[in-house]
Amino acid sequence: MSPDFPAYAPSEDHELLRQTVRALADAKIAPYAAEVDEESRFPQEALDALVQNDLHAVHVPEQYGGAGADALATVIVIEEVARACGSSSLIPAVNKLGTVPVLLSGSDELKKKYLTPVARGEAMFSYALSEAEAGSDAAGMKTRAVRDGDSWVLNGTKMWITNAGVSEYYTVMAVTDPEKGAKGISAFVVEKSDPGVSFGEKEKKLGIKGSPTRTVILQDVRIPADRLIGAEGSGFKTALATLDHTRITIAAQALGIAQGALDYAIGYVKERKQFGKPISDFQGVQFMIADMAMRLEGARQLTYHAAIKSERAFHGEKVPDLTFVSSACKALASDVAMDVTVDAVQLLGGYGYTREFPAERMMRDAKITQIYEGTNQIQRMVIARQLLK
Ligand SMILES: Cc1cc2nc3c(=O)[nH]c(=O)nc-3n(C[C@H](O)[C@H](O)[C@H](O)COP(=O)(O)OP(=O)(O)OC[C@H]3O[C@@H](n4cnc5c(N)ncnc54)[C@H](O)[C@@H]3O)c2cc1C
């Protein structure tokens, strides 16, 4: 193993990055998290702070004007933003999700054209795979793209698209050959300003309320042929290859939300007095804290391990177990995040159940990490398939 790639431990630079992002998130993102949730509004303050500090899309390579951060650094950024505000962490996470298809399979021209404005903070990038009738079974999509001379014409409705309406650019998966199933799906870059693109109402959600989730409606959207990402028919492969890299970022989001809840709960149990002493003196409380922390640290180590493998794969190394570790860390970290945030609410007692305290928001935000980028049942299917093949 190359010494440049420590197996599990972040380098000094990674730790420095964590301190920087944590300080920024505490000062500029956390103060708005409750309001963003309460008002279901986009966390503009977070976007501004992230862009000012070049943390909104750190994964974009330097050659396109980006920070060129590795996958572990990207995980740390997402984790630390999520510790303050789950909704805001979807800014760096979805910028990665939307752009990885272009990075993995796009032409040099596409990369230059679309990654540069993302790196500059002028545009965000969403990922449009799911449809109302095609969620877990994403290959069952109906959105169509038909070649017409030098153009493609797209028709269909993509559902549940994170940051839809705010993002300028969208990676859209559409059927180009209905006879070929998953091999008849292609990926395209669609722009918000392309005639025929519109958005549905914002979904009214349980959590991550600051991140708009909307349908993307494509009505006779005519785009130039060179907006095809990779070869015709390779779109589903690209979509899945993307998830191998980005499920790790969902794990990062889950870790961050859980860490925020654990840190808050630790502060609370040291202050809160019952029976004449801080509740942290009770062994029943101590054991809960210990369980929360050890499970969280276990999930973190697997996530960092997966991030390092993702980085290697990005540089062309063969990493046969990337799919396994990526699904495993996503499922584990999101399950741990759900348990840890429920326990944080428990440790705050009745106060934990109110919106005056952040634990219930963190619990609601954690839930989505078990659902998107493939539900945790789907992750288990993917993992089992890798083991049994
Ligand atoms: C807030 C939010 C944001 C999202 N953002 C995006 C985005 O940006 N881009 C995008 O493309 N999509 C996005 N999604 C879509 C998300 O990825 C899907 O919701 C998810 O993949 C599940 O699909 P579904 O909702 O259709 O559920 P279904 O597929 O209908 O699943 C329903 C239940 O059945 C279970 N199930 C289904 N098939 C199986 C099986 N074979 N074995 C066992 N259990 C099974 C599932 O695990 C689940 O529990 C988002 C969703 C939400 C809620």
Side-chain angles (χ1 to χ4, degrees):
M1 183 174 294
S2 142
D4 296 342
F5 286 111
Y8 303 102
S11 67
E12 231 171 82
D13 285 348
H14 288 115
E15 280 308 335
L16 208 63
L17 175 70
R18 181 194 302 288
Q19 286 166 23
T20 306
V21 185
R22 183 169 292 196
L24 180 81
D26 282 347
K28 300 272 166 83
I29 297 175
Y32 302 99
E35 184 185 308
V36 156
D37 173 69
E38 197 71 37
E39 297 175 5
S40 295
R41 69 164 177 84
F42 183 73
Q44 188 60 44
E45 298 87 351
L47 177 61
D48 293 345
L50 291 170
V51 168
Q52 269 163 25
N53 292 276
D54 205 9
L55 292 167
H56 57 288
V58 285
H59 68 286
V60 176
E62 285 170 353
Q63 67 197 103
Y64 308 109
D70 64 25
L72 180 53
T74 308
V75 156
I76 289 170
V77 169
I78 294 166
E79 192 186 345
E80 289 302 325
V81 175
R83 181 175 167 274
C85 172
S87 294
S88 301
S89 67
L90 283 160
I91 294 169
V94 174
N95 272 339
K96 179 159 182 178
L97 176 63
T99 52
V100 168
V102 176
L103 278 163
L104 285 178
S105 309
S107 63
D108 281 347
E109 291 71 37
L110 272 188
K111 286 182 191 164
K112 228 173 274 157
K113 180 165 180 200
Y114 289 106
L115 298 177
T116 313
V118 173
R120 281 202 296 256
E122 293 163 4
M124 297 208 297
F125 218 128
S126 290
Y127 175 90
L129 176 67
S130 306
E131 297 181 4
E133 304 300 327
S136 299
D137 182 15
M141 68 180 64
K142 293 280 182 287
T143 296
R144 270 293 259 140
V146 176
R147 183 76 189 235
D148 181 24
D150 280 347
S151 314
W152 287 95
V153 180
L154 277 72
N155 276 289
T157 300
K158 291 291 173 182
M159 193 166 180
W160 310 115
I161 307 312
T162 298
N163 291 346
V166 188
S167 289
E168 280 303 315
Y169 307 136
Y170 299 80
T171 290
V172 173
M173 267 55 74
V175 176
T176 44
D177 186 345
E179 305 296 309
K180 288 195 179 155
K183 290 192 173 138
I185 292 171
S186 304
F188 301 89
V189 178
V190 172
E191 300 186 10
K192 176 178 161 178
S193 57
D194 287 329
V197 175
S198 62
F199 304 97
E201 289 297 308
K202 283 198 288 184
E203 301 293 342
K204 298 187 176 80
K205 305 193 299 287
L206 175 73
I208 55 156
K209 293 185 177 194
S211 168
T213 312
R214 300 169 71 177
T215 52
V216 177
I217 304 159
L218 307 160
Q219 221 167 5
D220 292 327
V221 177
R222 181 175 288 274
I223 56 171
D226 62 7
R227 297 256 205 98
L228 178 68
I229 303 172
E232 191 180 333
S234 68
F236 199 66
K237 203 169 156 214
T238 297
L240 295 189
T242 296
L243 297 178
D244 278 350
H245 293 281
T246 58
R247 281 174 176 158
I248 301 165
T249 68
I250 300 304
Q253 184 188 33
L255 295 176
I257 294 170
Q259 189 67 54
L262 176 60
D263 291 349
Y264 194 87
I266 288 174
Y268 185 86
V269 297
K270 290 201 286 195
E271 291 292 319
R272 174 71 175 168
K273 287 198 176 75
Q274 289 292 284
F275 303 98
K277 49 184 162 178
I279 57 171
S280 58
D281 281 5
F282 300 116
Q283 198 180 49
V285 167
Q286 291 172 3
F287 279 12
M288 281 178 75
I289 295 276
D291 277 334
M292 291 157 82
M294 78 186 170
R295 298 188 61 208
L296 181 50
E297 192 55 30
R300 177 174 290 118
Q301 293 307 320
L302 181 59
T303 304
Y304 289 6
H305 180 62
I308 287 159
K309 290 195 178 243
S310 153
E311 185 61 21
R312 290 174 159 189
F314 235 98
H315 291 287
E317 213 179 297
K318 258 201 156 349
V319 183
D321 61 348
L322 178 62
T323 301
F324 165 72
V325 287
S326 145
S327 281
C329 76
K330 190 274 193 190
L332 178 65
S334 58
D335 286 351
V336 165
M338 202 61 238
D339 290 349
V340 165
T341 53
V342 167
D343 281 354
V345 170
Q346 186 70 18
L347 286 171
L348 267 67
Y351 299 101
Y353 201 65
T354 72
R355 294 212 294 271
E356 297 300 308
F357 290 79
E360 64 83 38
R361 166 171 53 83
M362 293 164 171
M363 183 182 91
R364 288 184 286 104
D365 285 354
K367 182 62 202 170
I368 191 59
T369 62
Q370 294 182 308
I371 296 173
Y372 57 18
E373 291 206 28
T375 65
N376 280 5
Q377 289 100 312
I378 295 301
Q379 306 307 326
R380 286 174 170 85
M381 269 173 53
V382 170
I383 291 166
R385 214 178 274 150
Q386 293 295 312
L387 297 172
L388 298 170
K389 74 181 175 192

